[in-house]
Amino acid sequence: MPVTEAELDVKVAGKEPVADGVVLLSLVRPDGGPLPAWTPGAHLDLLLAPGLVRQYSLCGDPGDSSVFQVAVLRERDGRGGSAYVHDRLAEGDTVRMRGPRNRFGLDESPRYLFVAGGIGITPLLPMIEEAARRGSDWRLVYGGRTRASMAFADRLTRDHPGRVELCPQDETGLLDLDALLGDPRTDTLVYCCGPEPLLAAAQERCASWPKGALRFERFVPSARNDAARNDAARNDAATAEGAAEGAFEVELALTGTTLTVPPGRSILEVVEEAGVAVLSSCREGTCGTCETAVLAGVPDHRDDLLTEEEREAGDIMFICVSRARSERLVLEL
């Protein structure tokens, strides 16, 4: 079935600086009621203004249903979301939210290595607390531009002595990923979040690790998938070997409707034009909102969410960016 999730108004109950260029928002229901349940790694959408929707990782306590907390970095070259939060959103304001959803959950493992770059620390905070609660062996290596720019650094070192390594770039240089990830381990899951160069480097270093050992989350498209989508916009739907050329058909199993998706257009756009409502947010293959079950056919995955195992299974896809390797797809829509 199509994804459904909560959408409600929340009030900004608190807004405080937690590092240079980072503010922590505390969001509550205006009526004081409980917020939806969530698990470590989850994020939500904030509908800041018409056409301005942004995803932020929850960084508070999943056991506290009275408040959501998100930390927002002012992006110097951003697209307007962080500037809106920093400059216009004030304590007492009401904003629409959607979610939470989680494509970055904390799986069971005897040992964890958490690697954070800058604001990428936010989804890892509740994971660290959960790993500590489970009694798992874990370590955090946290890099940032400067010590003053690293949100929650003091709290982490205070609460977890001996397990947290802070690496401000102006003091220690870039994270030494060769030392961290050079030796594959069979008993360790690596959770990584941060800027794209860090994620790409971690993927490269973990290529020889057991399949699925590296877990990461992006909020902007990777260079590889962004290039694939640009190719699609130039009417080239065959950027990956075996991908279907040009147009393909999509059958909507719940209505019996068959639609044609032409080159350069997304499944989501075509489905919406046909009057079928589908939840969506980022339209870049990073948020997970438009997850759709595949009943038949072979997807051409162009998202930044699915694991290799999920891609091979081919039973779900994100229709805002992904296309088809077969001439026809049957979707649970």
Side-chain angles (χ1 to χ4, degrees):
M1 295 293 292
V3 174
T4 59
E5 58 189 17
E7 183 171 329
L8 65 153
D9 288 333
V10 289
K11 183 175 70 174
V12 181
K15 179 181 178 182
E16 60 177 311
V18 289
D20 287 350
V22 181
V23 293
L24 179 68
L25 299 181
S26 295
L27 307 170
V28 301
R29 285 184 54 162
D31 62 2
L35 291 161
W38 62 281
T39 54
H43 68 269
L44 51 77
D45 297 340
L46 290 185
L47 287 67
L48 299 169
L52 191 62
V53 182
R54 295 293 183 267
Q55 293 77 44
Y56 298 108
S57 296
L58 288 163
C59 60
D61 178 4
D64 184 355
S65 63
S66 68
V67 62
F68 282 158
Q69 290 189 315
V70 298
V72 182
L73 169 69
R74 181 190 287 277
E75 299 281 359
R76 286 174 291 183
D77 300 315
R79 296 173 296 169
S82 67
Y84 187 99
V85 169
H86 278 256
D87 299 335
R88 299 182 59 182
L89 199 60
E91 190 168 332
D93 286 351
T94 298
V95 64
R96 196 74 172 168
M97 62 135 283
R98 189 165 54 214
R101 71 186 69 90
N102 196 345
R103 295 288 311 179
F104 192 42
L106 186 69
D107 289 341
E108 290 283 351
S109 178
R111 181 173 292 120
Y112 300 97
L113 173 60
F114 299 107
V115 182
I119 199 63
I121 189 62
T122 51
L124 303 185
L125 286 174
M127 293 187 186
I128 287 167
E129 299 302 331
E130 177 62 17
R133 187 193 65 79
R134 293 177 184 177
S136 303
D137 186 12
W138 65 270
R139 175 189 179 198
L140 167 67
V141 180
Y142 178 13
R145 291 182 295 105
T146 65
R147 194 173 293 269
S149 73
M150 298 169 67
F152 313 109
D154 290 343
R155 188 182 95 188
L156 284 161
T157 53
R158 180 193 68 229
D159 293 350
H160 305 288
R163 292 190 178 272
V164 177
E165 181 181 352
L166 300 182
C167 302
Q169 186 176 340
D170 63 341
E171 299 177 23
T172 64
L174 295 174
L175 295 181
D176 188 351
L177 294 183
D178 288 328
L180 282 175
L181 304 172
D183 296 323
R185 304 167 201 162
T186 59
D187 62 347
T188 301
L189 290 182
V190 180
Y191 279 82
C192 183
C193 191
E196 178 58 27
L198 172 64
L199 301 183
Q203 284 183 280
E204 181 181 347
R205 304 307 195 282
C206 286
S208 59
W209 283 58
K211 204 171 191 179
L214 174 63
R215 313 295 175 86
F216 55 88
E217 182 172 47
R218 286 183 167 97
F219 285 108
V220 295
S222 66
R224 178 195 65 189
N225 283 327
D226 202 31
R229 290 190 278 278
N230 288 337
D231 285 344
R234 291 192 296 267
N235 293 344
D236 178 8
T239 57
E241 184 179 354
E245 290 279 358
F248 58 94
E249 290 188 340
V250 172
E251 179 183 337
L252 310 184
L254 301 184
T255 65
T257 304
T258 297
L259 304 170
T260 297
V261 181
R265 309 238 19 233
S266 72
I267 299 173
L268 177 62
E269 290 170 334
V270 172
V271 167
E272 287 178 331
E273 279 189 2
V276 178
V278 180
L279 284 179
S280 65
S281 182
C282 72
R283 296 178 180 254
E284 294 180 324
T286 59
C287 75
T289 312
C290 67
E291 178 179 328
T292 302
V294 179
L295 305 181
V298 183
D300 176 17
H301 297 292
R302 299 183 180 187
D303 63 90
D304 286 294
L305 290 156
L306 295 177
T307 65
E308 288 305 315
E309 292 86 349
E310 290 170 325
R311 289 171 182 265
E312 291 170 6
D315 55 1
I316 59 172
M317 68 185 300
F318 298 98
I319 61 173
C320 65
V321 292
S322 297
R323 295 181 64 81
R325 291 177 179 270
S326 54
E327 294 180 357
R328 184 182 182 89
L329 292 173
V330 181
L331 304 179
E332 194 175 10
L333 289 173

